[in-house]
Amino acid sequence: MPLSAPISEATEDWSLLPEEHAGLPGRLSEDARRALASELVQARRRLSPRGLDGWLRGAAALNDMGRGAGVVTAWLDAVPGLARDLGEDVIPDFAAACLGFASRTSGAVIARIIETAPLAARRLGDAALFAAYLRFLEHVLSRAPRAMRPMLEHLAELLDVLTLGGLRRWADWGIEAHRTDYPELERYFALASDASRAVLKAERKGTVLVDVQRRLSMYLRALWGRDFVLVPTAGDFESRAGLRPFAAEFMLHLPDALDDWNGIPGLDLYRAQAAHLAAHLDALAAPIPAEGLTALELACVGLIEDARAEARAIRRFPNLRPFWARFHGESGPGMAGQFDRIARALIDPDHDPEDEIAALMRAEFARLDLDDAQASRALGLALANRLYGRPFSAHSDIPSCPYRCDNRILWEYEEIDWSASAAARPEQVRKHVSVSETVNEVEVETAGDDAQEIWVQSSEFFDDDGTSFNAREGREPLAPPVLYEEFDHRIQMVRPAWATVRESRARLGDPAQAEHILEQHRRVTERLRHLLDAMRPQGVQRIRKLEDGDELDLNAAVAAAVDTRLRRQPDMRVMMRSVRHRRDTAVMVLLDLSESTNDPAPGGQTVLELTQAACLLLSAAVARLGDAFAIHGFCSDGRHNVFYSRLKDFEQPWGRLAMARIMGAEGRLSTRMGAAIRHATAHLSRVAAARRLLLVLTDGEPADIDIRDPLHLRHDARHAVEAARRQGVIPFCLTLDPAADRYARHIFGMRNIQVLERAERLPERLPQLYAALTR
């Protein structure tokens, strides 16, 4: 008699499920339901209520994804152990990553990713490293999806000898070498080719932290009589150097793997790093204020603090001196070599320093009270004064000692509580006052849009010449910040209220310069005038031979009457209608005003100058044609600051003010195109027109300072373009980037882009493109 059915029935006690997840078993397949029943009891013991909720929500989401019961079963089995190793905060991030994988690979591969996740967690040993591992998997899926399955089958063998950075370099080598040779690609990732084993051997590191972590913890406990938390870090995606060790929040962060150093085993280097960090924690009574110190002063104080912490530890454990001293060898040139000579003089009493400053520092350090942190700081500042004037770079002049940390634990920086400062700032008050109050009050001429109090006069106030102050000096108020969604291609979902568009007042330039540009391009203007005059509506046209019209066509009526008298079939289309032909088009030109527009183009002018000239020619031509048009620009500084300027609006006439705003445009910051397109679409959709065109003028792909994945903003821009089309807006892109084919077609579509190979022809090509699109 089979035992599976009775056991399944006996273990399916759904009373243990939280009330909000009571309907989950009914949505699962039979295999997934059995897996849930078998894991539920252990999950309730291992997970907190919050972790249990995340586990069940992840199972429901993966089940709704529709990639088979294997994905859900793997999730239910693997995640409780994963949460035990890395913490419950990893559960929602892991679920989101798995949902993102669904757009790139099959359910069987996703199930294998989930099954091998506990193995990766144990080998990496840190939640941040596991998050980087998930990004690595996405990286492989985006470049070579066929490589994922064989790599996961050999993941244990790979992580036994490679760091996460080494694994990425090994994978990238194979992808680049065998991108189009699928059989060889699969052999490479299955460790079945000579090239795969050779690259694996080259990337292999001598000692992996997770293999010696327990021994290091016992070593530190024997020295200091307390436990320390050791956390692996990875910073060697681009090279094998990795990150320097550091201490933060009472945890010791060590590189995830180390090579032997000059014949010294990697385990000894780990011990030297761990003992140095522990010595810092023992010596540091309070962080040192870093405000007002230069980079050289920070480096010098840190150098003396390293020596003081080690001297205190050597005072308790004398054998640490020769243990650390063997890592101080020959010094190189520059300021880094000077630091190396000083460090060796302070730790090795048998070394005779030939350097004058190193010998002086040894004498001064010998008189230092090792328990006085302020004296150590003063000695470091004195050293900085002696070295002042020498070439120094905080990025390149780093001491070569391999076990010393980056000293971030030493410093305390003043933190600005932005929320408190915002709350302390009084809310702007807007008061409506009379004419007499306005006249008697002293105006603050330097007050801007952020003034504490703004007085609004209830009636118009005129000067002696008959013009109102509002017409002469008034400024249109800025619109409040607007939140827009952003599409995340990794999870294939929209993040609501993610990007903030802030409208900024356009800066005024010199309109005389604009008139000079129009004069320089007079020949182009004349050619465009003839082209656009041909597109001008030809007035009223009569449409005859209609059965239903506005008025009677007398000639057709007489002909019909004659045919009736002659007993012939008359033509009953005796009406006509007068139709007034007019253009019903609204066009918005959206300018990319990022920092790259300041780059020079062939011919000597910058991209921004060419853009300004093109906008002036286009505006002059469209104003003659009579179409409604607007010119807006954008740049960005992260998702919270997408700056948007309205250089010319639809209701504003074309004149010197619009010219001044165009000439005042400046290129700065980055290009978050999706949010700008959504905001431009919102403006354009308010215009009543039969045809609405959004013309995006850019010189590069979307990018921003807070986005590392180049695909993210491309997919978001495409999502914004599709949303604009659904609202009746026609987006079109004119790009100056010769390499735009690889991304612009994906964003705007095959027929909605034009790549301008010669940027210097932009002033002529932009109006021609407008004429072609609105013909």
Side-chain angles (χ1 to χ4, degrees):
M1 181 178 180
L3 297 177
S4 58
I7 291 176
S8 175
E9 293 174 3
T11 55
E12 288 187 356
D13 182 9
W14 306 124
S15 62
L16 298 177
L17 278 175
E19 183 177 352
E20 60 269 23
H21 298 287
L24 178 60
R27 297 159 55 189
L28 301 178
S29 65
E30 183 178 353
D31 292 340
R33 192 164 54 248
R34 277 201 297 267
L36 175 61
S38 63
E39 296 291 338
L40 183 58
V41 176
Q42 290 297 326
R44 286 181 64 91
R45 293 174 181 172
R46 294 180 177 179
L47 302 175
S48 67
R50 175 170 162 269
L52 183 67
D53 179 72
W55 179 61
L56 295 172
R57 287 183 183 275
L62 293 175
N63 180 72
D64 295 341
M65 186 175 64
R67 290 303 181 94
V71 176
V72 184
T73 302
W75 172 270
L76 294 170
D77 180 62
V79 168
L82 185 69
R84 177 194 59 204
D85 293 334
L86 300 179
E88 295 178 353
D89 290 340
V90 78
I91 296 178
D93 294 336
F94 188 36
C98 292
L99 292 173
F101 295 152
S103 63
R104 299 181 182 274
T105 189
S106 64
V109 173
I110 297 175
R112 190 60 183 150
I113 290 174
I114 298 173
E115 290 168 355
T116 56
L119 167 66
R122 287 192 298 271
R123 294 302 301 171
L124 298 174
D126 180 64
L129 283 184
F130 184 75
Y133 166 74
L134 295 178
R135 293 194 295 271
F136 161 71
L137 294 183
E138 182 183 353
H139 170 75
V140 174
L141 285 173
S142 65
R143 300 189 64 193
R146 292 171 178 263
M148 182 61 70
R149 189 190 298 268
M151 185 184 72
L152 292 175
E153 295 299 331
H154 296 83
L155 188 63
E157 186 176 350
L158 291 169
L159 290 180
D160 278 343
V161 296
L162 295 179
T163 64
L164 182 58
L167 179 62
R168 175 164 179 159
R169 291 193 298 276
W170 172 83
D172 283 343
W173 195 98
I175 293 172
E176 289 295 335
H178 309 297
R179 181 186 293 273
T180 58
D181 189 350
Y182 294 146
E184 194 61 30
L185 180 72
E186 294 180 1
R187 291 186 69 246
Y188 180 91
F189 279 86
L191 299 179
S193 68
D194 294 337
S196 176
R197 290 189 292 271
V199 177
L200 183 66
K201 183 178 179 180
E203 293 295 340
R204 177 172 181 164
K205 283 201 172 183
T207 306
V208 181
L209 179 59
V210 292
D211 293 334
V212 298
Q213 194 166 355
R214 181 177 177 83
R215 297 168 67 180
L216 291 175
S217 298
M218 295 174 63
Y219 172 72
L220 292 176
R221 184 173 181 82
L223 285 177
W224 303 101
R226 53 166 288 193
D227 291 325
F228 292 88
V229 179
L230 304 181
V231 179
T233 61
D236 61 341
F237 275 4
E238 303 300 333
S239 66
R240 291 172 58 87
L243 291 174
R244 297 173 68 191
F246 65 93
E249 298 178 351
F250 301 100
M251 294 186 289
L252 310 185
H253 297 258
L254 303 175
D256 52 358
L258 288 174
D259 290 321
D260 295 347
W261 186 84
N262 292 347
I264 302 175
L267 178 58
D268 284 354
L269 181 53
Y270 266 130
R271 285 174 174 158
Q273 291 179 350
H276 176 78
L277 292 174
H280 265 308
L281 292 177
D282 179 69
L284 188 65
I288 304 172
E291 298 299 327
L293 298 181
T294 65
L296 178 59
E297 289 172 336
L298 291 174
C300 291
V301 174
L303 182 63
I304 301 301
E305 265 301 306
D306 283 336
R308 184 179 77 90
E310 292 176 359
R312 283 171 51 90
I314 291 170
R315 190 170 60 186
R316 294 179 60 184
F317 312 107
N319 285 336
L320 283 176
R321 184 185 298 277
F323 179 67
W324 275 326
R326 58 182 176 161
F327 292 99
H328 294 266
E330 298 298 326
S331 59
M335 190 68 80
Q338 180 68 71
F339 290 156
D340 289 338
R341 291 189 289 273
I342 295 173
R344 185 176 184 184
L346 296 183
I347 196 172
D348 188 358
D350 298 329
H351 172 64
D352 184 17
E354 299 179 357
D355 183 80
E356 178 183 354
I357 295 181
L360 179 61
M361 284 296 106
R362 172 188 281 181
E364 294 288 342
F365 188 78
R367 296 190 292 269
L368 184 70
D369 181 4
L370 298 181
D371 297 323
D372 188 355
Q374 291 300 322
S376 173
R377 180 178 183 273
L379 182 57
L381 293 178
L383 172 61
N385 288 333
R386 290 184 174 275
L387 298 178
Y388 180 76
R390 296 191 184 185
F392 171 71
S393 169
H395 299 286
S396 58
D397 290 324
I398 299 174
S400 62
C401 180
Y403 71 83
R404 286 193 169 175
C405 63
D406 60 7
N407 285 334
R408 70 180 65 180
I409 193 176
L410 298 178
W411 307 111
E412 179 182 43
Y413 294 91
E414 181 182 358
E415 294 185 2
I416 301 176
D417 188 354
W418 296 105
S419 60
S421 61
R425 185 184 303 128
E427 184 179 356
Q428 189 179 76
V429 178
R430 185 175 291 267
K431 294 173 58 178
H432 289 266
V433 297
S434 64
V435 174
S436 60
E437 288 176 303
T438 304
V439 172
N440 294 328
E441 184 60 35
V442 178
E443 180 185 8
V444 182
E445 296 183 356
T446 58
D449 297 322
D450 58 346
Q452 295 181 3
E453 191 170 304
I454 296 179
W455 283 20
V456 181
Q457 188 179 300
S458 303
S459 60
E460 195 82 0
F461 188 47
F462 293 89
D463 201 356
D464 295 337
D465 59 358
T467 60
S468 69
F469 283 95
N470 187 55
R472 192 172 61 191
E473 301 180 9
R475 293 182 296 175
E476 182 182 354
L478 292 176
V482 184
L483 296 175
Y484 286 100
E485 63 186 18
E486 189 164 285
F487 181 72
D488 191 333
H489 73 102
R490 295 173 300 177
I491 60 175
Q492 294 294 302
M493 294 178 65
V494 168
R495 297 185 181 273
W498 191 253
T500 305
V501 174
R502 304 179 185 274
E503 290 201 2
S504 57
R505 184 169 284 110
R507 193 170 65 94
L508 297 181
D510 185 6
Q513 186 179 1
E515 294 173 349
H516 177 66
I517 292 175
L518 291 174
E519 184 65 28
Q520 281 184 323
H521 294 83
R522 176 175 292 276
R523 295 180 60 185
V524 177
T525 305
E526 289 299 321
R527 290 201 303 268
L528 292 174
R529 184 174 65 82
H530 293 298
L531 175 64
L532 296 179
D533 282 346
M535 300 169 55
R536 190 185 299 274
Q538 299 301 316
V540 178
Q541 180 182 3
R542 288 179 176 177
I543 303 178
R544 300 179 182 273
K545 291 187 175 296
L546 298 176
E547 292 184 0
D548 183 18
D550 298 330
E551 54 184 317
L552 182 67
D553 184 352
L554 291 179
N555 292 332
V558 169
V562 170
D563 289 339
T564 302
R565 293 289 182 93
L566 296 177
R567 299 183 180 275
R568 291 187 298 202
Q569 179 65 35
D571 187 353
M572 302 306 297
R573 297 176 297 175
V574 296
M575 303 299 291
M576 65 179 182
R577 180 182 296 120
S578 297
V579 178
R580 180 181 296 276
H581 283 280
R582 62 184 182 90
R583 290 173 59 86
D584 193 10
T585 301
V587 180
M588 177 183 289
V589 181
L590 183 61
L591 305 179
D592 171 8
L593 297 179
S594 60
E595 179 66 31
S596 59
T597 58
N598 296 321
D599 296 341
Q605 290 183 293
T606 65
V607 174
L608 178 60
E609 291 170 345
L610 292 172
T611 301
Q612 291 169 328
C615 289
L616 291 172
L617 294 178
L618 175 65
S619 300
V622 176
R624 290 176 55 87
L625 194 58
D627 288 348
F629 74 101
I631 301 176
H632 295 180
F634 73 96
C635 60
S636 64
D637 188 25
R639 68 183 181 94
H640 296 296
N641 294 295
V642 181
F643 299 108
Y644 193 94
S645 300
R646 291 187 282 174
L647 307 179
K648 183 199 175 299
D649 263 330
F650 289 104
E651 65 275 8
Q652 294 174 347
W654 172 245
R656 290 179 63 85
L657 178 59
M659 292 181 186
R661 288 176 176 172
I662 292 175
M663 297 310 299
E666 55 183 347
R668 60 194 185 98
L669 305 176
S670 304
T671 316
R672 205 178 197 97
M673 188 178 291
I677 290 177
R678 291 184 179 93
H679 197 61
T681 302
H683 281 292
L684 193 53
S685 61
R686 301 190 190 107
V687 180
R691 179 167 49 177
R692 291 173 291 190
L693 174 66
L694 176 61
L695 182 55
V696 180
L697 177 58
T698 180
D699 66 333
E701 63 180 313
D704 212 340
I705 59 171
D706 56 351
I707 297 296
R708 298 184 61 184
D709 182 5
L711 297 178
H712 177 86
L713 292 180
R714 296 183 196 174
H715 284 274
D716 175 59
R718 179 182 181 181
H719 191 270
V721 166
E722 292 172 349
R725 289 197 182 104
R726 290 193 294 269
Q727 297 184 46
V729 175
I730 305 172
F732 193 93
C733 177
L734 176 61
T735 175
L736 308 181
D737 183 7
D741 283 338
R742 58 187 174 87
Y743 61 86
R745 296 182 188 277
H746 172 77
I747 296 174
F748 292 93
M750 294 289 292
R751 299 182 179 180
N752 291 327
I753 72 160
Q754 186 173 108
V755 180
L756 187 58
E757 298 289 347
R758 297 175 59 186
E760 65 273 15
R761 295 193 59 193
L762 177 62
E764 180 181 356
R765 288 295 299 142
L766 181 61
Q768 291 176 353
L769 175 63
Y770 169 81
L773 292 175
T774 59
R775 189 180 300 276

